[in-house]
Amino acid sequence: MSLIQNLLHSLRNVLAVETQVDADEQYLSNAIDHADLERRIASQSRAWMSMSPLNIGR
């Protein structure tokens, strides 16, 4: 039974498409403590704000 479960789990991982939201959640969940989490959130916020001028006028 474990072999079948491992096979299905591997198949699901191969077929699943990782979205940007999934990648962001994984990045934040890898924080080791509260300060690291705040640093990661600030880093993402700066990256998002640097991209926002590209969307003006569309």
Side-chain angles (χ1 to χ4, degrees):
M1 187 64 172
S2 179
L3 177 64
I4 294 172
Q5 288 176 340
N6 288 339
L7 179 63
L8 290 176
H9 181 68
S10 298
L11 185 60
R12 181 177 53 198
N13 286 340
V14 168
L15 296 177
V17 176
E18 183 175 349
T19 64
Q20 185 62 40
V21 172
D22 294 335
D24 291 343
E25 288 179 3
Q26 183 65 34
Y27 175 71
L28 294 177
S29 70
N30 288 336
I32 56 173
D33 60 3
H34 191 266
D36 187 27
L37 178 62
E38 287 182 354
R39 182 189 59 77
R40 288 172 186 244
I41 291 172
S43 172
Q44 284 184 329
S45 177
R46 284 191 301 273
W48 183 81
M49 290 303 290
S50 70
M51 294 295 289
S52 64
L54 298 175
N55 295 328
I56 295 175
R58 290 186 180 181

